[in-house]
Amino acid sequence: MRYGQSNQYILALVKRYSAQGLCLILVLLIVVIGTACQSPGTSPTQSTETVTNPADQTSLTTSQSLSTITPAMSDDLIIPDFSTRRFLWTNGLTIEDQHTSTTEDGLTVERYYPRLNGFKDESVEAQLNQQIQTTLLSLMQAVEADFAAQNTDPVRKVTTKFSTAYVAYNCNSVLFIEYFAFMEASTETEMLSVQKNMASGYDLNTGLQLLLKDLFKTDSNYEQLINEAIVLEIMKKNYDDPDAQYMSKPFQGIREGQLFSFDLTGLRIMIDERNNEFIPLGYPVTFTIPLRSIGDELAIFDRYMRQGDNLFDQPGLKKLLLNQIEYAVNNVISEYEQNYDIYIETGEFTGIDDPFLKTSLDSLNAHDLDIDGFRTRAQAQGKLNPDQYYGSLIHSVGLMMNEGGYLSVLANDSSREKDQYQHDSRVLNVNLNQNKNMTLAELFVQGFDYKQALVAIMVNSENYLSPDGAFLDEAALDTLSDTQFNFDPYGVTIYLVFPGRKPFESGHWISYEQFGLENITLFQ
Amino acid sequence: MLALLVSCRPATPASESTVLNTSTTVEVTVEPSTAMTSSEATAEPVIVRPLFDRTTYPRVDGSTATIPLSEHIAATLLSLSAQEAQTFIHHNTTHNAYVNLIDGQADIIFVTPPSTEESELAKHKGIELEVIPVVNEAFVFLLNKDNPVDVITRKQIQDIYQGKITNWKDIDGPDREIIAYQRPDNSGSQTLMQSLVMGDLELADAPSELEPADMSGLIEVIAAYDNSDRAIGYSVYYYANSMFSKETIKFVKVDGIEPTNETISSGAYPYTSAYYAVLKKSEPADSAARQLLAWILTAEGQALAEDSGYVPLASVNP
């Protein structure tokens, strides 16, 4: 399963005054829906559940009244350290991208939104789908109202109008939807555009919207945490500069009811009109606080997650989280001259406790390319024959996979001097959960014949050709190596060796879906 | 200092005012039962709050950082709501404000001092500018709260930013490398750093980091202050004082002086600057712009400025 995502999404600000009516509508909806979700004829019961977090095999005991809408208090939850968290569970939903086009005064108005399917409780499903529609419509109406207020030129003709909603986060019984609406009009000499954005998070147990505090542990000083993160971002972006045109006064802190969204990059604070210290820029301003910074303060991954009582028709899949390991490029030699090119990128792996792994990774970062010698020769050649291309020298390290306790790294070194071409690639695939290097076979569940699957996918397929442009045959797949491969969150790259060709010259990427996600160990 | 106006007569209707042709002055401080002696008649006059309406209010412009000051002044003098003041006041940023003033599109602007370019522009147009401080500002240095260093001298700051002092232990701190963060070139903060702090001394190369470029690859950018325990950075007091919770970031006590409203107003804190009102020197003495400026420099005006988040001047007129 993969969740669909609208192709166009841009975040914009929601003007407070035009969103007030929207908030009232949402509140009314929540009240009505909250009542509707209660089964008639049942009395409130108190139950104690033991919830096992499948991600960490930790038993969580929650006391929760089935008739209340209050999330479990985090002091009842056992929340693991964020650094040990490897994955979440996607909600067992099918998300279908919907698109409608209507015509208004000769203008085509586009609407993009997701349709959610797969709730056991169809009333919650209907409620959420309706809420998505209502929110998107209200946002567009707010844009129209703002536009009408600002458009003093009757000649100015509306040229673009669209709205989108998309699923930003869909894990552990929580859903975040982001909304955007845009309208633009222009004359020959000027243009007026209005855009708004907003987001809503939902507890899928009840269909009710989440407040910012619901994401955090009960005893968390989350407001201070968020404000301090934003202040550092303000400094990073130089918004606090006396000559900058971003802020008329110091940051006043997040407001009550601050707009926010959430996904696996982190918590996103969305600046709106109430944050009047920010000068309106005509485009959205958001501050993203990385998960790594707030992970230990969060309760969102555990508070709403229930095991043994799946909310959905289908089970979820693992959604891998970023590892603590990072690769930061800290030096780049980038020379693009008339007759030669040099691009050497080196960096540092951090967040590694295992000295053996650190040594292995650092070895990928190292290279023995003769940069100075190549440059000298190229420059000398350039003086003699300035119009003749001499060659190139490249070194780079790519961290292809860095999630869920899995690492896949590819280091490339290549040099081309006149007619001499040399290429060397090195790979490292590691399962940090088992503290061992990983083979291609271990990417697939036991019993799955991945080699046969590759034959079915690649042989005689126009999508997978040899370097000479020919269809692949089974003999080509015989060169498949169990160690020379890379993988990423969405697929695997295998390297086949062809006659007269060097290893790693021919890489083919196959998506996990082509194998069937149920056959990939990453998601089981 | 400022000329103060005193009326020894009972308050007269606006139409009988002899002062202005575009606005009317109204007495603020009134002690009607006290007869004035001849000595009192020659005492410093009391600035009165000018009585403007929307049509007689001077055309104001300025920098982004002085918008709250402008709005609050307009709200007070025109009895506007905060929202009305936001709609009424438009600042077009520092340089544009200078251009508007020089071109006669603005009567008074609230800005930082003119740049060389702006001074040249005025000179070219035959305009002489009058630059008067209206509120104080200061340049402050930031440290992580957990850094045991509290006091840094001016000389040490210069040495740090020249790259001569590179370890906190050299200034009685822990044995840890100093990361002296800077701001982008040509930014206001960087200009203040050079002019107020470094003078003729050359700044060392700023720490840099690589960021994805817009199109592809990586570009080197000035690294931003990260509040690590090795970091020192800087900002302007107007923004910094209210933004930081002081639970994670603290201000350096330069030469032992902590930047506060009091130490900045008094001049005790060494790195002070100001925001200024700028008018044409040819602006008539009784013009709306002059009246506005005079009132800002009164105790009432300065109290309003402080209420707006700015540091008042050391001494003001009553």
Side-chain angles (χ1 to χ4, degrees):
Chain A
M1 185 212 67
R2 58 187 298 184
Y3 40 87
Q5 191 166 2
S6 180
N7 288 330
Q8 299 184 45
Y9 58 91
I10 307 170
L11 298 179
L13 290 173
V14 176
K15 262 194 169 181
R16 179 64 173 171
Y17 71 86
S18 57
Q20 284 174 349
L22 168 66
C23 287
L24 177 61
I25 293 169
L26 289 177
V27 168
L28 290 173
L29 272 174
I30 289 167
V31 170
V32 168
I33 290 160
T35 306
C37 280
Q38 294 183 28
S39 303
T42 60
S43 57
T45 57
Q46 196 79 17
S47 70
T48 300
E49 305 176 298
T50 298
V51 177
T52 300
N53 185 332
D56 302 285
Q57 301 302 306
T58 305
S59 294
L60 313 173
T61 303
T62 65
S63 286
Q64 187 166 355
S65 165
L66 293 176
S67 69
T68 65
I69 59 176
T70 304
M73 302 307 291
S74 63
D75 53 9
D76 294 330
L77 298 173
I78 300 172
I79 299 177
D81 288 343
F82 182 73
S83 63
T84 65
R85 207 180 279 271
R86 293 281 183 255
F87 55 86
L88 304 175
W89 288 100
T90 62
N91 300 314
L93 291 175
T94 303
I95 300 174
E96 298 169 354
D97 290 335
Q98 307 290 304
H99 170 218
T100 63
S101 290
T102 55
T103 303
E104 294 177 11
D105 297 327
L107 175 71
T108 302
V109 179
E110 314 280 3
R111 243 169 128 237
Y112 303 87
Y113 58 92
R115 175 164 181 80
L116 312 174
N117 293 303
F119 284 87
K120 282 185 180 172
D121 188 338
E122 291 180 355
S123 66
V124 172
E125 179 175 304
Q127 158 194 327
L128 281 170
N129 281 318
Q130 181 59 47
Q131 199 152 1
I132 292 169
Q133 296 289 313
T134 304
T135 304
L136 197 57
L137 180 63
S138 296
L139 191 64
M140 190 72 243
Q141 289 172 341
V143 166
E144 289 168 346
D146 260 18
F147 183 86
Q150 294 181 39
N151 186 24
T152 55
D153 184 353
V155 176
R156 208 184 271 131
K157 186 183 169 189
V158 177
T159 53
T160 308
K161 188 173 172 182
F162 70 88
S163 57
T164 75
Y166 69 98
V167 175
Y169 176 81
N170 181 34
C171 296
N172 288 35
S173 303
V174 171
L175 185 77
F176 270 85
I177 307 275
E178 293 189 4
Y179 304 85
F180 173 73
F182 178 86
M183 199 163 162
E184 185 177 271
S186 59
T187 62
E188 285 184 1
T189 54
E190 57 178 4
M191 194 165 60
L192 169 69
S193 67
V194 176
Q195 50 186 308
K196 293 183 182 295
N197 70 336
M198 68 172 294
S200 299
Y202 301 96
D203 166 12
L204 295 184
N205 296 280
T206 60
L208 301 180
Q209 273 190 268
L210 298 175
L211 304 174
L212 188 54
K213 68 178 178 63
D214 296 329
L215 275 59
F216 293 91
K217 297 176 181 175
T218 310
D219 58 354
S220 168
N221 192 354
Y222 65 92
E223 287 180 345
Q224 181 177 328
L225 194 70
I226 292 168
N227 287 335
E228 286 173 355
I230 291 175
V231 165
L232 285 180
E233 273 299 296
I234 285 171
M235 291 180 66
K236 180 172 182 157
K237 295 176 179 177
N238 216 45
Y239 285 2
D240 61 331
D241 188 274
D243 279 352
Q245 301 166 32
Y246 295 105
M247 299 182 71
S248 64
K249 50 188 174 181
F251 177 56
Q252 306 292 302
I254 58 172
R255 309 299 202 267
E256 183 156 348
Q258 184 74 49
L259 285 178
F260 70 97
S261 186
F262 184 87
D263 62 20
L264 292 181
T265 64
L267 173 66
R268 226 173 5 267
I269 299 296
M270 303 163 79
I271 299 300
D272 64 34
E273 194 181 59
R274 291 170 300 164
N275 306 105
N276 57 4
E277 61 268 48
F278 292 92
I279 302 291
L281 298 175
Y283 55 85
V285 174
T286 59
F287 293 97
T288 300
I289 299 151
L291 270 190
R292 195 169 276 131
S293 302
I294 54 173
D296 283 330
E297 296 291 317
L298 291 174
I300 185 176
F301 303 134
D302 307 280
R303 179 173 282 155
Y304 306 99
M305 185 68 179
R306 297 169 68 154
Q307 181 73 356
D309 179 21
N310 195 3
L311 298 173
F312 315 103
D313 294 331
Q314 300 296 326
L317 292 175
K318 282 184 184 177
K319 180 65 183 174
L320 305 181
L321 294 174
L322 274 179
N323 298 325
Q324 297 296 306
I325 292 174
E326 287 186 307
Y327 179 69
V329 175
N330 54 25
N331 189 52
V332 173
I333 299 172
S334 178
E335 299 173 20
Y336 294 98
E337 305 297 334
Q338 188 174 355
N339 72 321
Y340 73 91
D341 303 307
I342 296 175
Y343 186 79
I344 308 294
E345 201 178 81
T346 51
E348 182 185 2
F349 287 96
T350 59
I352 304 164
D353 295 326
D354 184 336
F356 178 75
L357 178 60
K358 174 100 171 102
T359 302
S360 299
L361 288 170
D362 284 345
S363 72
L364 295 178
N365 200 32
H367 66 87
D368 57 3
L369 296 173
D370 178 19
I371 301 170
D372 291 335
F374 173 86
R375 185 189 293 115
T376 301
R377 293 187 294 273
Q379 289 175 345
Q381 179 69 34
K383 287 177 184 172
L384 293 174
N385 293 301
D387 295 331
Q388 186 177 13
Y389 185 70
Y390 182 78
S392 62
L393 202 65
I394 299 172
H395 167 77
S396 65
V397 174
L399 192 47
M400 319 287 277
M401 179 69 173
N402 188 26
E403 297 178 3
Y406 300 99
L407 278 180
S408 183
V409 187
L410 173 67
N412 280 316
D413 298 321
S414 73
S415 72
R416 188 186 297 275
E417 285 198 59
K418 297 183 182 177
D419 298 327
Q420 298 295 316
Y421 174 64
Q422 289 188 337
H423 179 90
D424 179 36
S425 290
R426 292 162 284 157
V427 300
L428 182 66
N429 299 296
V430 182
N431 183 340
L432 297 170
N433 304 311
Q434 297 177 6
N435 199 30
K436 62 190 272 293
N437 284 0
M438 197 164 155
T439 64
L440 181 60
E442 288 167 337
L443 194 59
F444 303 96
V445 299
Q446 216 162 16
F448 178 69
D449 191 345
Y450 69 94
K451 291 185 180 177
Q452 192 56 42
L454 281 169
V455 169
I457 293 167
M458 299 178 73
V459 170
N460 292 324
S461 167
E462 61 184 14
N463 295 317
Y464 298 99
L465 302 175
S466 73
D468 297 325
F471 285 128
L472 298 179
D473 56 21
E474 289 192 37
L477 288 175
D478 288 341
T479 64
L480 183 67
S481 166
D482 207 32
T483 57
Q484 304 300 304
F485 71 99
N486 285 112
F487 64 104
D488 59 57
Y490 305 103
V492 58
T493 302
I494 61 170
Y495 302 100
L496 305 178
V497 184
F498 293 88
R501 299 282 182 167
K502 298 181 189 301
F504 292 100
E505 243 190 84
S506 179
H508 298 278
W509 184 81
I510 304 104
S511 70
Y512 296 135
E513 284 164 324
Q514 291 178 269
F515 295 104
L517 295 177
E518 67 278 9
N519 296 313
I520 310 297
T521 55
L522 305 182
F523 307 118
Q524 309 313 316
Chain B
M1 290 297 288
L2 303 166
L4 303 175
L5 303 175
V6 169
S7 172
C8 295
R9 299 169 298 171
T12 57
S15 60
E16 294 181 336
S17 167
T18 59
V19 178
L20 309 166
N21 56 9
T22 58
S23 65
T24 307
T25 56
V26 174
E27 296 224 23
V28 173
T29 305
V30 176
E31 293 180 326
S33 61
T34 304
M36 295 194 79
T37 64
S38 59
S39 61
E40 286 171 339
T42 58
E44 292 279 354
V46 176
I47 287 291
V48 296
R49 181 189 285 196
L51 186 62
F52 295 123
D53 61 34
R54 285 177 180 246
T55 62
T56 59
Y57 197 80
R59 295 168 302 169
V60 173
D61 206 336
S63 68
T64 306
T66 58
I67 289 175
L69 179 68
S70 253
E71 288 177 350
H72 204 165
I73 291 169
T76 300
L77 297 182
L78 296 177
S79 300
L80 301 176
S81 67
Q83 196 162 356
E84 288 171 334
Q86 283 179 18
T87 309
F88 183 73
I89 291 293
H90 294 283
H91 280 202
N92 292 290
T93 73
T94 302
H95 179 71
N96 290 332
Y98 271 105
V99 170
N100 285 339
L101 178 71
I102 292 165
D103 285 349
Q105 303 301 313
D107 300 317
I108 182 170
I109 63 175
F110 298 111
V111 285
T112 45
S115 64
T116 305
E117 179 191 354
E118 286 144 7
S119 297
E120 287 297 318
L121 178 64
K123 189 177 173 184
H124 176 73
K125 298 260 180 147
I127 304 290
E128 202 170 341
L129 299 177
E130 198 169 323
V131 184
I132 305 107
V134 289
V135 290
N136 275 322
E137 177 57 290
F139 197 68
V140 296
F141 288 88
L142 317 170
L143 296 177
N144 184 291
K145 189 84 171 173
D146 293 333
N147 189 328
V149 174
D150 282 328
V151 176
I152 308 180
T153 67
R154 279 181 279 178
K155 177 70 168 62
Q156 287 170 334
I157 290 175
Q158 289 174 337
D159 285 346
I160 287 170
Y161 276 94
Q162 283 189 286
K164 292 181 179 177
I165 295 178
T166 58
N167 194 304
W168 287 107
K169 70 179 180 184
D170 296 331
I171 52 172
D172 300 327
D175 184 4
R176 218 170 276 143
E177 178 199 9
I178 297 175
I179 303 180
Y181 289 99
Q182 297 183 34
R183 296 297 187 124
D185 288 335
N186 299 321
S187 65
S189 299
Q190 195 71 353
T191 304
L192 282 171
M193 176 64 179
Q194 191 66 62
S195 61
L196 272 183
V197 180
M198 303 302 289
D200 294 331
L201 301 174
E202 192 173 331
L203 280 161
D205 288 340
S208 62
E209 58 191 6
L210 291 164
E211 274 189 0
D214 285 338
M215 300 298 290
S216 65
L218 297 167
I219 56 168
E220 194 169 353
V221 297
I222 303 290
Y225 178 78
D226 64 358
N227 201 36
S228 71
D229 57 5
R230 299 175 295 166
I232 180 170
Y234 45 81
S235 183
V236 293
Y237 183 77
Y238 171 66
Y239 286 108
N241 188 43
S242 303
M243 283 202 317
F244 302 134
S245 69
K246 307 294 189 333
E247 294 194 23
T248 54
I249 301 177
K250 65 181 179 185
F251 292 151
V252 169
K253 294 174 184 174
V254 180
D255 288 346
I257 309 291
E258 183 175 359
T260 64
N261 279 22
E262 291 72 32
T263 61
I264 294 167
S265 282
S266 68
Y269 182 74
Y271 295 136
T272 56
S273 61
Y275 291 112
Y276 298 81
V278 183
L279 320 86
K280 292 180 184 174
K281 201 164 185 180
S282 58
E283 189 70 32
D286 57 357
S287 72
R290 291 264 180 217
Q291 288 185 64
L292 180 65
L293 173 59
W295 179 80
I296 291 170
L297 297 175
T298 64
E300 185 185 12
Q302 289 292 297
L304 179 143
E306 187 168 20
D307 192 47
S308 303
Y310 300 88
V311 178
L313 299 173
S315 58
V316 298
N317 300 305

